[in-house]
Amino acid sequence: MKAFKVLLYGLAGLVALAVVGLGAAFVIVDGKFVKARLESAMKEKNRTLNIEGDPKLKLFPVAGLALGKTSLSEPGSDKLFVSLDTAEVAVRVMPLLSGEVAIETLKLSGLKANVVRRKDGTMNFSDLAGPKDKDKQPGQPPNLRIAEVLVEKVQLAYRDEATGQELNIAELNLKTGRLDGQTPGDVSLAARITGRKPDVDLRAQAAGALRFNLDKEEFAFDKFGAQLKGRYDQDTIALEFSAPKVEVTPARASGSEVKGSIQVKGPQRNIDAKLLIAAVEGTATALSIPKVSLDLSAAVGGISAKAKVDAAIKANLAKQDLQAEVSGKLDDATIKAKVGLTNFAPLKANFDVNIDRLNADRYIPPDKKDGKGDELVDLRVLRGKTVSGKVAIGALTAQRVKLENVKADQILSVEQPR
């Protein structure tokens, strides 16, 4: 009995100590303390931070911070860098001990940010990012669970002082339901994108259900669709994407057809493309897509082409291995090819292409058809990558010269600059 009483007194003492400790934390680390420290930190960086009222804090079992109207200036200037009407973020404490980030609340309203790339190539937030650690290796991403996200009335502006390019994202709204990695949660996104050099006016929206688990390498879409419509430079653009149901886990992969389309209409180009990806099968380590179809009709810069291509794909994402068999038509040409990727990053690829006949002259821009054909080919896109393969063409027309049974073996490898 005496031992039982001692145990009770000991537990009572621990509870009392915990209460006193939490009380002391709230007294020492309160909203005024956080506000003063943040304002002081920004002052050291020659910036001015203004927070209306005192931030509201939570410590346990949910650690959270809520801000009212807040603004941050550019360094050494009164110009606005970032401002917001309200912000609230809360994360559960205990899951952090096991490497999991459980976001209880993420609310953001009225955010405005002005990002500038200066003429010397630096960004106007470089002083906030801290020094880069070139030797630091990227770590494993933590498992993420989200109870609620509500982002509304966000405006982001980007300006390049060297080129005069401007890009603005306005009316950005993002809302999610519970994304716990178990069942798909609702997600909706809408934004307007405008800019100049080139002129841009686009509206984007996406909605559906999403599930992901970074730790288990799982993701799924359910009744997901996205659209992008508007004007880019002199062209009108319409993009659509739909994924009625897709699920990929290490154990299996399944789903229905995924469809995408793009239409571009303008004085210099007209493009109409449709993409269909058949139901995904297998697992993440043995992924199989029995059919990927592309139907393309394009006219760009005086060159027109029509293509209809089908491909069957098998991949082992864990080993960074992908193999595809491709067949189809490019105008009058019949194409059969095998393409393989044996490493995704840096890229290592191989190909074996057979074409019955090809008139290459029809794909040369009108202003270059009388050229000498000795223009340099820019291979910077292949820097750090290795591509090798074979090409066989039964009948080839190039620079008005007709050739038969053309075969070529190529190995392209461009080293990274030191």
Side-chain angles (χ1 to χ4, degrees):
M1 182 63 71
K2 185 177 180 180
F4 182 67
K5 287 183 178 180
V6 171
L7 180 60
L8 287 178
Y9 284 132
L11 290 174
L14 288 174
V15 171
L17 182 62
V19 171
V20 171
L22 286 175
F26 276 109
V27 171
I28 297 172
V29 188
D30 61 359
K32 291 182 180 180
F33 176 85
V34 172
K35 178 179 178 179
R37 292 300 298 269
L38 290 175
E39 290 178 344
S40 176
M42 291 300 100
K43 189 175 182 180
E44 291 178 359
K45 294 183 177 294
N46 203 21
R47 292 176 181 261
T48 302
L49 175 65
N50 291 314
I51 303 175
E52 289 189 8
D54 293 331
K56 296 180 181 179
L57 292 178
K58 298 177 183 177
L59 294 180
F60 192 83
V62 175
L65 175 67
L67 297 173
K69 282 186 176 295
T70 302
S71 64
L72 178 64
S73 72
E74 294 273 11
S77 170
D78 292 332
K79 291 182 178 179
L80 181 67
F81 172 56
V82 172
S83 69
L84 56 86
D85 293 336
T86 60
E88 181 182 357
V89 60
V91 179
R92 290 200 165 271
V93 175
M94 295 305 292
L96 294 173
L97 301 179
S98 60
E100 181 178 81
V101 179
I103 299 175
E104 191 71 14
T105 300
L106 177 57
K107 295 181 179 180
L108 188 63
S109 179
L111 172 69
K112 296 180 181 179
N114 298 305
V115 178
V116 178
R117 182 182 180 88
R118 304 185 184 101
K119 290 184 178 180
D120 61 2
T122 61
M123 308 297 292
N124 65 337
F125 56 81
S126 300
D127 60 315
L128 302 175
K132 293 183 178 180
D133 188 351
K134 296 181 179 179
D135 298 328
K136 186 176 181 180
Q137 297 295 324
Q140 184 73 16
N143 188 32
L144 181 64
R145 289 192 293 117
I146 299 173
E148 176 189 25
V149 173
L150 181 59
V151 178
E152 56 184 3
K153 302 176 183 177
V154 171
Q155 298 182 43
L156 307 175
Y158 169 80
R159 177 166 53 88
D160 190 321
E161 291 183 341
T163 64
Q165 182 186 26
E166 294 181 5
L167 189 65
N168 301 281
I169 300 177
E171 303 171 32
L172 174 61
N173 296 284
L174 170 65
K175 184 178 181 180
T176 78
R178 179 171 291 276
L179 302 174
D180 57 8
Q182 302 299 319
T183 57
D186 291 336
V187 176
S188 63
L189 171 70
R192 183 181 181 185
I193 306 165
T194 60
R196 69 185 191 93
K197 290 189 176 182
D199 292 335
V200 178
D201 190 355
L202 299 167
R203 288 189 177 273
Q205 62 180 28
L210 172 67
R211 180 181 73 82
F212 62 88
N213 188 313
L214 301 179
D215 186 45
K216 296 181 179 180
E217 299 181 346
E218 298 177 354
F219 70 88
F221 296 109
D222 193 5
K223 298 178 182 178
F224 191 86
Q227 294 181 336
L228 179 67
K229 294 183 179 182
R231 180 175 54 83
Y232 182 87
D233 200 5
Q234 296 179 307
D235 301 330
T236 58
I237 296 177
L239 285 79
E240 294 188 2
F241 169 83
S242 65
K245 193 172 186 63
V246 175
E247 183 175 8
V248 177
T249 72
R252 65 187 184 91
S254 62
S256 56
E257 290 182 344
V258 174
K259 296 180 180 180
S261 66
I262 176 171
Q263 290 182 319
V264 180
K265 295 182 179 180
Q268 298 297 323
R269 60 185 65 84
N270 284 280
I271 300 171
D272 188 353
K274 294 180 177 63
L275 176 68
L276 184 147
I277 302 175
V280 181
E281 301 173 353
T283 67
T285 55
L287 195 67
S288 174
I289 305 176
K291 185 177 181 181
V292 177
S293 296
L294 174 66
D295 196 341
L296 172 68
S297 176
V300 179
I303 301 173
S304 61
K306 290 185 177 181
K308 187 172 180 61
V309 180
D310 295 328
I313 298 175
K314 293 184 178 181
N316 186 324
L317 303 183
K319 294 183 178 180
Q320 297 193 35
D321 181 83
L322 183 147
Q323 303 296 323
E325 293 191 2
V326 183
S327 63
K329 297 278 290 186
L330 173 62
D331 293 319
D332 297 330
T334 299
I335 301 173
K336 290 185 177 181
K338 293 181 179 180
V339 180
L341 303 182
T342 56
N343 201 67
F344 297 165
L347 178 69
K348 290 184 179 180
N350 58 78
F351 59 86
D352 188 347
V353 181
N354 285 275
I355 305 173
D356 64 341
R357 55 181 176 176
L358 178 65
N359 184 353
D361 290 346
R362 69 184 300 174
Y363 307 114
I364 299 176
D367 58 342
K368 293 186 178 181
K369 284 192 174 181
D370 295 328
K372 297 179 180 180
D374 57 356
E375 291 87 352
L376 295 176
V377 178
D378 190 351
L379 296 178
R380 284 178 295 180
V381 69
L382 293 176
R383 185 170 290 164
K385 306 171 179 64
T386 301
V387 180
S388 62
K390 301 177 182 179
V391 177
I393 304 174
L396 172 65
T397 301
Q399 295 289 318
R400 295 184 292 275
V401 176
K402 295 184 178 181
L403 304 170
E404 292 186 358
N405 297 322
V406 177
K407 295 182 180 181
D409 293 351
Q410 296 290 332
I411 298 178
L412 300 175
S413 180
V414 183
E415 293 185 356
Q416 291 278 18
R418 295 181 180 178

